Amino acid sequence: MATDVLGAVYQFCDQYLDPAPNIVRGWQNRAALPASSSLVILTLLDTIRHGTNARSWNMTPPAGIKTTVSMLTEYVVQVDICGLDEEIVNQQAALLMMLGRDPLAVEFFNAFNLQPLYADDVKPLPFANELDQWVTRYAVTLHLAGWTSLTVDQDAFSNVNVTIENVDVHHPPQE
């Protein structure tokens, strides 16, 4: 089952950032930005597989097994906070970085089957917009981990009758 990582980070930002900015997913082409100078842009930068698959088995009578294959993935999400007031934007970025390293984030992301690993330090990334005016932008990168799993049914048997016999005696070789 896939996890909506950006949806989880969206709700996290919506709950904890004050004043609440407009939140959009990614720097996408053909997507109009909100008619606001204060916004948060969420971008999934990377997904990193950690380790090998984990497997578990559950018996399902009368003759079956449910096999679950799981993979641990790290999700790297960049949260860009843009706005006109540098103090507010910087405070929001610092708050997000602080919460990304706090047990509050653990409690919040548990509902999404994600575990926050850590948050990188705040980075200032100002840019010039289409009107050649500077826009304040700070970025925080959140690192989250989650399991992706698939469960499949497999045929099996529940008991076996084993008989030992001397094959050469009961089934002599043919010449």
Side-chain angles (χ1 to χ4, degrees), residues 6-151:
L6 290 182
V9 175
Y10 180 102
Q11 289 186 31
F12 186 69
C13 291
D14 189 47
Q15 181 166 334
Y16 290 110
L17 293 182
D18 186 38
N22 289 309
I23 304 171
V24 295
R25 291 177 179 228
W27 295 89
Q28 309 171 42
N29 285 335
R30 298 188 213 169
L33 290 173
S36 170
S37 56
S38 174
L39 63 122
V40 171
I41 301 169
L42 307 176
T43 308
L44 182 61
L45 294 180
D46 204 358
T47 57
I48 305 161
R49 177 193 178 111
H50 289 279
T52 57
N53 290 347
R55 286 180 166 249
S56 63
W57 296 269
N58 289 322
M59 295 297 292
T60 54
I65 296 176
K66 285 197 179 290
T67 301
T68 301
V69 181
S70 302
M71 171 181 71
L72 180 61
T73 304
E74 177 183 348
Y75 301 97
V76 182
V77 179
Q78 181 171 306
V79 181
D80 291 283
I81 304 172
C82 306
L84 298 177
D85 188 329
E86 182 160 2
E87 185 177 342
I88 290 174
V89 173
N90 189 332
Q91 287 175 353
Q92 287 177 328
L95 175 71
L96 194 60
M97 178 196 61
M98 177 185 73
L99 290 176
R101 301 174 180 182
D102 192 80
L104 270 175
V106 174
E107 292 174 24
F108 184 89
F109 285 111
N110 272 342
F112 299 92
N113 294 320
L114 293 168
Q115 297 78 38
L117 302 174
Y118 61 97
D120 290 337
D121 291 334
V122 175
K123 294 179 204 146
L125 301 169
F127 67 96
N129 63 15
E130 66 279 357
L131 302 173
D132 287 332
Q133 295 177 342
W134 286 105
V135 176
T136 301
R137 173 180 163 206
Y138 285 90
V140 174
T141 304
L142 301 175
H143 297 259
L144 307 166
W147 288 94
T148 302
S149 298
L150 173 68
T151 301

